[in-house]
Structures are given as structure tokens and as C-alpha cells.
């Protein structure tokens, strides 16, 4: 088991490295001289040369990558062109809303989708199953921002249950915080629910066909116990996997949702930075999101050991 | 996978039904196909559907409600009476015309992206699956690309290259290439062990001919299915990019752009968002349903996996 954990940990290093190289190259190949942009319009060519030298931009591309990666490891992402501050600081200011939104979304998605998937598998082919599969296709097809405006119009404007837009920090009180966060999280969770419910249904369905289910039923266990302790427990690995893979969808959705609901998080920051052509910020945020994705999937893989004692490696 | 459908599937195969006949019977292929065909017709016939040029605007006809009549100035400077079926936006442009013409852009982006991603994915996947020395390095790059969330990657690429139809298509295609590459590679790895490939190798058939003549034709069915899903996702991503203001230039009438323009006045004039939103959701839904149907009929192996 420890060799498995060690191997899995080591295998993420090449992926992270490739991600870093790709993002570095992407932004280096962008037209425009970063030194000139940092120096501002009034700078003389000597000043620009000075900044270029201090940033190491006069060196070869591999050396530049080395310097950049070294800075990253020390938590230095450079200076934002647009916000005129350290990118690290900028990210620290914006991370709370995004983390809160993502956490609440995952929570809602898992709590709603797993029972739905189990019931659909239990009543396979019935009306509930069909309705869920229909919803699942719809959930994949409904664009996040269309759904967002639909919900704002219905729930916020017509019913007045939630504020239309905006964000309250956790420090301003838990209830206002939650009140502003619920609708965006519901919006974002729909596609995630569609995804997880589909996989839960498929893997519980497969488990229900196994011999131990027949045995469990034969010895007279209550159906709920058969479903949860025997079928669902054995279907846990694919469900955990899809939750991990779904993080990519979630991150894409965060960018859109934060824009629609005017939440000052990292997703909103990405769009603003791209529009302002503020590449150090764009680079840092994309790197952060990608690393988060890789690390979450690493944790999911490691969790198999807990979920499935059969996996010993 | 449901056992019932599987048995139906094998019964159909046993009856030597052709793929076409199976396709025709499948309800989701029918529904998805018919809706999509209607959308293609709409896109082609856009000028004859009671539309005006989607770039026309008139200050006197701003923010009209759906169904209201107003006037609009043509390119020749002539004022004509026009009924704004879906209302007008804050520039006085006809939403109906923009939505109908937007169908063209969305379908074009979807199909072009799917073809481009498939072409590159096939090329890379065949290479990785067949040329063993290339496999490791190439797949590590693909793993890295897949770790960057698709929408973020597309946004950044478009921002780097300046937005245009071509850059948007290429950017979205790049996010899809790794998945196609993986699919083709895994298919190649299983197909290359088949006896007919071994036979071809022992006959001294050139590698290129084995790759494109023997292996590729056997990957077609899953690739068609994958292509359909890419098409749906590309239409969605283009709309998201345009909506965020980082996609196609605002003067091009796309559903995302119409909604980006309409979001400011969303509270007062929800129709600016409603109509393009419905078209977008309907199109993506139709393509996805078609994809599910194709998967069930063309590629039962994949259906079992999902």
C-alpha cells in the first residue's frame, strides 16, 4: 500500500511539470514585451532594459523557465500588470469566495446526486430512472449562464427568496454569507449532479447484479441496507473518480457563475485579467486551478485504499 | 449497462440489421437528428425567414418588446417597417434576425471544432499507439493538457491570439485533442493485436498503410460518437467565451454575444437572454441526444462502459 501511495505521488510530478511548461510557453509566446508593459508608457529604453534584466528576460528560454519555476516554488507569481500588486496577494484576496462556492457546490451535488442515482438503479427502467436520465442529458446541455439567469429571474426576481447578485464575506456573518452563496452553488451543481447521478446509477446497477446482493437479500436484510451497505459501498470507487474528474467541469463553471452572480472570486479574476491582458495574473490563476485539479484527483486515487479494502496494490 | 438493451442489441446484430436500419429505429437518433436537421435548414435559409441583416440597427427601435413593430434602416439608408418577433436590443437591432443568423455561427463552430479535434487526435493517437517510442512523451503532454481546465485554456488561448472565428475554433479544438488522442490510442492498442493486423505486418505492409488502411477504419464508429459530443461541447464553450466577452468579436451575431449584450438590461428586458438561451440549449441538447443514440447503436461496447 505504501509503495502504491509513493508511486502515485511520484506520478503527479511529471504532470505538474508538463502543466507548468505548457503554461509558461503559452504565455511566453504571447506577443508583447512584459518588461515594456511593466515599465509603463513613460519609461525610457534603459529602464525597460533594466527591468528586462531584473526579470531575467534577456536569458535563454530554458533558463527563464528555471527562474520562473524557482520563483513559483517560493510562492512568487510576479506582479500583476493591471492591479499593480503582487499576484500572490491578489489571489489571497480572491480565494475565499471561490473556495466557498466550490465547497458548497460539491456538498449539494453529492448529497443530491448519490441518493438519486441509487434510487434510479434500484427502480431500473421505471419512471424515476427515466426521469433522472432525461434530467441528466438536460443538465449536460443547459449552459451554466442560461440556467443562472433563469434561476435569478425565477427565484430572486419573481419569488424574492435570494439576493440577485453579490457576495458577503464569511466575516460579515454566516447567514448573509450562505444566503448569497446558495443560488450560485445550486446553479453550478446542476451539471455536477447530472454527472455524478449518472455514474452512481451505472455503478450501483452493476453492483446490484452481483452474487453477494442476492445473498444479502436471501438472508432477509432490509432493502435499504442492501442498497447502501452492499451495493453503494461497492460502487464507491467509480463515484469518487467521477467527483474528482468533475472538478474540471466545476472550475470551468466557477468562471462563468462568478461572472453572472458578480462574485469577486478567482474565476471572475481570470476573466478580468484576460480582458485586461494581465498575463502574470492569468498565468498564476490557471496554474493554481490546474494544480488544484491534479491534487484533488491524487487525493481521490489515494482514497480508493480507504473505500475499497480489496485494493491492496 | 442495461441487460435488456444489450440483448436487443445482440438480437439486432443477429438479424443482420444494417447499422443504418438500427439508427433509424433508435428514438434518440430520430429526435436529435430531426431537431438538428431543422437547425441546419434554419442556418442555411436564414435570409429567407423574414429576417433583416443582423447588423442593422436603428436608434428609434431600441429595446422593443417581442412582437412590437418598428422601423429599421437598411444598408442603403432606406427606412423599412419591421416586426421585431423577438424584440430588439439596446442598439435597436432585431434579436430574431441575430438569433437566426447565430445558428450559422454556432453550427459552424461546432462542426469545424469537431473535425479539427478529430483530425489531430487521430494523427496523434495513431502515432502514440503505433510508434512505441513516441507513446510515453506524447501521452505525458496530453495528460498535462487535460489537467488544465478546458474553459480556462480556451479563454487564455483566444486572448493570446486575438479573437476571431479561426482562433476560437482552434482554441476549443486544442482542449478536445487530448481526449480524442487517448481514445484513438486505446483503440489502436487493442486493434493492433488483431490477427488481420499481424497478417498485414507479416506480409511486409508499410507502417503507414497499416495505420490508415487497417487500423483507422476500425476506429470510425467510436470516433463518430466522440465527434458528436465534441460538437455539442464546442457550441457550448463558444457561447460561454462570447458571453464572457473573450470569444468572437461582438459584431458577429452569435448566441453568446447576444446574451452578453443583453445581460446588462436583464432585469428590464429578459427577452434578450431568453431567446438565444433557448436556441443554445435546444441545439446542444439535440446534438447530445443524437450522440447518445449513435453511441447506443454504433458502438455498443462504449455504451456498456458508460
Amino acid at each position: 500500500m505504501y509503495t502504491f501511495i509513493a508511486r502515485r505521488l511520484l506520478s503527479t510530478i511529471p504532470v505538474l511539470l508538463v502543466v507548468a511548461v505548457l503554461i509558461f510557453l503559452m504565455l511566453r509566446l504571447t506577443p508583447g514585451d512584459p518588461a515594456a508593459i511593466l515599465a509603463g508608457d513613460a519609461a525610457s529604453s534603459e529602464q525597460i532594459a533594466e527591468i528586462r534584466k531584473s526579470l531575467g528576460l534577456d536569458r535563454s528560454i530554458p533558463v527563464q523557465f528555471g527562474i520562473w519555476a524557482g520563483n513559483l516554488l517560493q510562492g512568487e507569481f510576479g506582479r500583476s500588470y493591471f492591479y499593480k500588486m503582487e499576484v500572490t496577494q491578489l489571489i489571497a484576496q480572491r480565494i475565499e469566495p471561490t473556495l466557498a462556492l466550490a465547497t458548497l457546490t460539491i456538498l449539494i451535488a453529492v448529497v443530491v446526486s448519490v441518493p438519486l442515482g441509487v434510487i434510479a438503479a434500484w427502480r431500473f427502467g421505471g419512471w424515476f430512472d427515466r426521469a433522472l436520465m432525461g434530467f441528466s442529458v438536460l443538465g449536460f446541455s443547459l449552459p451554466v449562464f442560461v440556467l443562472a439567469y433563469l434561476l435569478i429571474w425565477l427565484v430572486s426576481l419573481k419569488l424574492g427568496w435570494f439576493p440577485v447578485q453579490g457576495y458577503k464575506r464569511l466575516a460579515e456573518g454566516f447567514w448573509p454569507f450562505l444566503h448569497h452563496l446558495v443560488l450560485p452553488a445550486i446553479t453550478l451543481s446542476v451539471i455536477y449532479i447530472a454527472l455524478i447521478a449518472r455514474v452512481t446509477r451505472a455503478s450501483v446497477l452493476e453492483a446490484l447484479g452481483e452474487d453477494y446482493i442476492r445473498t444479502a437479500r436471501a438472508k432477509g436484510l432490509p432493502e435499504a441496507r442492501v442498497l447502501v451497505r452492499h451495493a453503494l459501498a461497492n460502487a464507491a470507487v467509480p463515484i469518487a473518480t467521477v467527483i474528482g474528474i468533475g472538478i474540471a467541469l466545476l472550475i470551468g463553471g466557477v468562471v462563468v457563475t462568478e461572472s453572472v452572480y458578480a462574485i469577486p472570486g478567482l474565476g471572475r479574476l481570470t476573466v478580468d485579467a484576460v480582458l485586461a491582458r494581465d498575463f502574470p495574473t492569468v498565468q498564476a490563476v490557471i496554474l493554481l486551478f490546474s494544480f488544484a485539479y491534479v491534487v484533488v484527483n491524487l487525493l481521490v486515487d489515494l482514497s480508493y485504499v480507504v473505500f475499497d479494502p480489496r485494493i491492496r496494490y | 449497462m442495461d441487460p435488456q438493451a444489450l440483448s436487443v442489441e445482440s438480437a439486432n446484430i443477429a438479424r443482420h440489421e444494417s447499422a443504418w436500419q438500427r439508427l433509424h429505429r433508435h428514438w434518440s437518433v430520430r429526435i436529435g437528428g430531426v431537431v438538428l436537421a431543422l437547425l441546419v435548414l434554419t442556418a442555411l435559409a436564414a435570409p429567407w425567414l423574414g429576417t433583416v441583416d443582423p447588423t442593422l440597427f436603428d436608434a428609434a427601435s431600441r429595446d422593443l418588446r417581442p412582437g412590437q413593430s418598428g422601423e429599421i434602416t437598411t444598408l442603403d439608408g432606406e427606412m423599412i417597417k419591421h416586426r421585431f418577433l423577438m424584440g430588439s436590443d439596446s442598439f435597436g437591432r432585431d434579436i430574431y434576425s441575430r438569433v437566426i443568423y447565430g445558428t450559422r455561427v454556432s453550427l459552424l463552430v461546432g462542426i469545424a471544432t469537431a473535425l479539427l479535434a478529430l483530425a489531430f487526435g487521430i494523427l496523434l493517437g495513431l502515432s502514440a499507439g503505433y510508434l512505441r517510442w513516441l507513446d510515453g512523451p506524447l501521452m505525458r503532454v496530453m495528460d498535462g493538457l487535460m489537467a488544465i481546465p478546458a474553459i480556462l485554456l480556451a479563454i487564455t488561448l483566444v486572448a493570446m491570439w486575438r479573437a476571431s472565428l479561426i482562433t476560437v475554433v482552434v482554441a476549443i479544438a486544442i482542449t478536445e485533442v487530448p481526449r480524442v488522442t487517448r481514445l484513438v490510442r486505446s483503440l489502436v492498442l487493442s486493434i493492433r493485436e488483431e490477427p488481420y493486423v499481424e497478417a498485414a505486418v507479416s506480409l511486409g505492409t508499410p507502417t503507414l498503410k497499416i495505420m490508415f488502411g487497417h487500423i483507422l477504419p476500425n476506429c470510425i464508429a467510436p470516433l463518430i460518437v466522440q465527434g458528436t459530443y465534441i460538437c455539442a461541447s464546442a457550441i457550448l464553450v463558444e457561447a460561454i467565451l462570447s458571453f464572457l466577452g473573450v470569444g468572437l468579436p461582438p459584431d458577429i451575431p452569435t448566441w453568446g454575444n447576444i446574451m452578453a449584450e443583453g445581460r446588462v438590461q436583464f432585469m428590464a428586458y429578459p427577452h434578450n437572454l431568453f431567446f438565444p438561451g433557448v436556441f443554445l440549449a435546444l441545439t446542444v441538447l439535440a446534438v447530445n441526444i443524437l450522440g447518445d443514440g449513435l453511441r447506443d447503436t454504433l458502438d455498443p461496447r462504449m455504451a456498456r462502459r458508460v
Side-chain angles (χ1 to χ4, degrees), chain B residues 72-84:
Chain B
I72 202 157
T73 319
T74 64
L75 289 175
D76 311 323
E78 205 182 325
M79 289 277 261
I80 51 166
K81 273 235 165 262
H82 183 69
R83 208 170 119 84
F84 292 80

Side-chain angles (χ1 to χ4, degrees), chain B residues 147-182:
Chain B
I148 308 174
I151 288 179
L152 289 185
L153 185 59
I155 289 177
T156 318
L157 289 174
V158 175
M160 280 167 48
W161 296 331
R162 305 254 167 233
S164 75
L165 199 58
I166 294 174
T167 55
V168 166
V169 167
V170 173
I172 303 175
I174 287 180
T175 66
E176 298 283 357
V177 164
R179 261 168 284 273
V180 184
T181 307
R182 265 199 176 181

Side-chain angles (χ1 to χ4, degrees), chain A residues 19 26 30 124 137 141-143 145-146 149 157 164 198 255-256 259 270 274-275 277 282 286 289-290 293-294, chain B residues 2 144 147-149 152-153 155-156 159-160 236 240 243-246 259 263 266-267 273 280-281 284-285 288 292:
Chain A
V19 170
M26 230 162 71
T30 311
F124 167 72
V137 180
S141 307
L142 204 58
F145 57 101
V146 176
Y149 279 111
L157 289 179
V164 174
R198 201 177 240 220
V255 176
V256 181
S259 286
T270 317
V274 164
L275 287 175
R277 306 183 68 76
V282 175
I286 295 190
F289 274 132
S290 309
Y293 175 63
V294 173
Chain B
D2 53 296
I148 308 174
L152 289 185
L153 185 59
I155 289 177
T156 318
M160 280 167 48
L236 247 166
I240 288 175
F243 174 77
L244 291 174
V246 292
M259 297 179 78
R263 66 191 282 201
F266 163 66
M267 308 249 207
L273 290 176
L280 176 60
V284 179
L285 188 65
N288 271 335
D292 284 351

